[in-house]
Every structure is written in structure tokens, then in C-alpha cells.
Amino acid sequence: MDFTGKTALVTGSGSGIGKTIALQLAARGADIVVNDVSQEHAKATVEEIENLGRSAVLCCANVASRTEVQEMFELAKEKFGKVDIVVNNAGVTRDNFLLKMTDQEWDLVMDVNLKGVFNCCRSAAALMSETGYGKIINISSASGQMGNIGQVNYAASKGGVISITKTLAKELARYNINVNAVAPGFIETPMTETVPDKVKDHLKRQIPLGRAGSPEDIAHAVLFLASDLSSYITGQVVASNGGMYM
Ligand code: NAP
């Protein structure tokens, strides 16, 4: 796959899956807008992209903020003139059982995981409709498809991401914008580092392919959806989960 001449914006690309997606797109020729709340992490991603010979611009916008997201897309337009690919990857967890979950835990997860995707899709669509080309890939989760104990906030937000994806696939098709989602299963990243070994072993036993996924496993699905090999695919959810949920 060749992304030469394309610009991609990847939210939450300071670490984990987002960083791998940004580097894989850059390795295939794309210039990248690196977004993360942590400047230190985002800077490291920018340096690695520049070492690959591509251009990168850093933007520490909080995706939950409409204003900061609008400014990020303005920066992208100023620097690269357009954005062809947007990967809505930034996400957080604040797990708790229903009866213990606080309003703050609910609100934060909704603000970042759901409103963040809405904010970025709105700004992306405005820009992409001008050029008549766009690929939006939203990172959902197996939790959003099958539910998960202790994740009522996270599962609801990720289920919502699937609904955003299907709705915008219908709304934005007229502008030649494809909107798809990738739903990862259990992936080894900083987000899952703190999961106790006992729980990790239990999870791995539920995966037919017998292993946790890697950030590369998710990036490969994203590359396909970001490329013109998937031109006739829109509104779909690609489950990259080792068979954990079918
Ligand atoms: P991660 O390593 O924690 O990466 C998430 C990134 O998003 C972090 O760099 C984080 O920054 C950034 N971020 C958090 N809040 C943000 C905000 N408001 N604005 C901009 N950036 C923000 O997690 P990951 O495992 O790579 O997860 C990436 C995506 O995959 C998430 O949407 C997650 O829900 C989804 N996912 C992951 C798994 C899994 O098993 N790992 C499974 C299913 C779905 P800081 O680190 O600086 O806070």
C-alpha cells in the first residue's frame, strides 16, 4: 500500500495502537498530524516519523474539546493543505462496576471516546467534503459489540462509535468519504498493561487464535481501510480480535 501524497491525522498517536498506526502510515509515504494529550509522547512519535523521511506536525488537542479539535484541523490544513485520512483512535478507560461507577468516570469516558469521535468527524467532514475524498476510521472495541463486565461506560461509548460510523457512512458517501470502524479485541498496549496476569490469562483462553493482539494487528486493518483497496467498503466494523467475538 502506498500513501505517498496523502495526509493522515491520528488521534492519540503518542502511544500504543495510535502510535503504531501513525508510524505504519508514515512508513508507506503519508505525512502525519500527530495528536495526543501528552506532549512528551507525541514529540517522540513526531521524531520517529521524521526519521522515516516524512513530515509530521504535533498537536496536543484534547479531542473532547470542540474548539481544540477545530484548531487542530485548521493547523492540518495550514501545514498540509488537506487531510485525506483520519483515524479516531484516542480513548480512555475508567472501569468500575455499575453500582460503584461515579458520574466523573462515566462523563470522562463519554467525552473522550464518543464526543471526541463526533468532534473529529465533524471537522474532518468539513475539510474532506472540500476535496471530495476522505477515509475516516474509528477505533471501537469488542467491548462495544459484546458488552463487558465493569465497562458500562466504555462499552456504551464504543457501541456509540459503531453507530456514529454507520450513520456517517450514509451521510458522507455523497462526498466520497468512506467511514469504517475497527473493533480490536484484547491488545497488548499501555492501556492493558495494568490488567492483572490472572485476568490476561483468562482473556487469552477465550481467544480462538490463542494470543493477545499486537498494535500491528490493528494497524494492518486500519491500513486496508485507509487505502483505496477498500473503496467500496463503508459503514463496516472490522473485528480484529483473534476470533474472540464473531
Ligand atoms: P493507549 O496506549 O492508552 O493510547 C491511547 C492514547 O490516547 C494515549 O496516548 C492517550 O494519551 C491518548 N488520549 C487519551 N485521552 C485523549 C484525549 N482526550 N485527546 C487526545 N488523546 C488522548 O491505549 P491503546 O490500547 O493504544 O488504545 C487505542 C484505542 O484502541 C482506544 O480507543 C482504545 O479504546 C481502543 N482499544 C484498545 C484495546 C486494547 O486492548 N488495548 C482494545 C479495544 C479497543 P495519554 O497516554 O497521554 O493519556
Side-chain angles (χ1 to χ4, degrees), residues 98-117:
L98 173 66
L99 297 181
K100 291 183 176 171
M101 186 164 288
T102 64
D103 286 2
Q104 287 80 4
E105 287 165 339
W106 173 269
D107 289 344
L108 178 76
V109 169
M110 286 298 158
D111 282 350
V112 177
N113 297 8
L114 194 56
K115 194 172 179 201
V117 173

Side-chain angles (χ1 to χ4, degrees), residues 1 32 40 45 52 60-61 71 77 80 85 114 118 130 157 172 174 198 201 211 224 229 231:
M1 278 173 242
I32 312 286
E40 193 192 331
T45 306
L52 291 168
C60 290
E71 286 167 1
K77 190 176 177 183
F80 297 116
I85 300 158
L114 194 56
F118 166 68
E130 284 175 12
S157 72
L172 302 179
R174 75 192 68 175
K198 222 172 117 182
D201 290 343
R211 64 170 177 90
F224 172 64
L229 294 178
S231 300

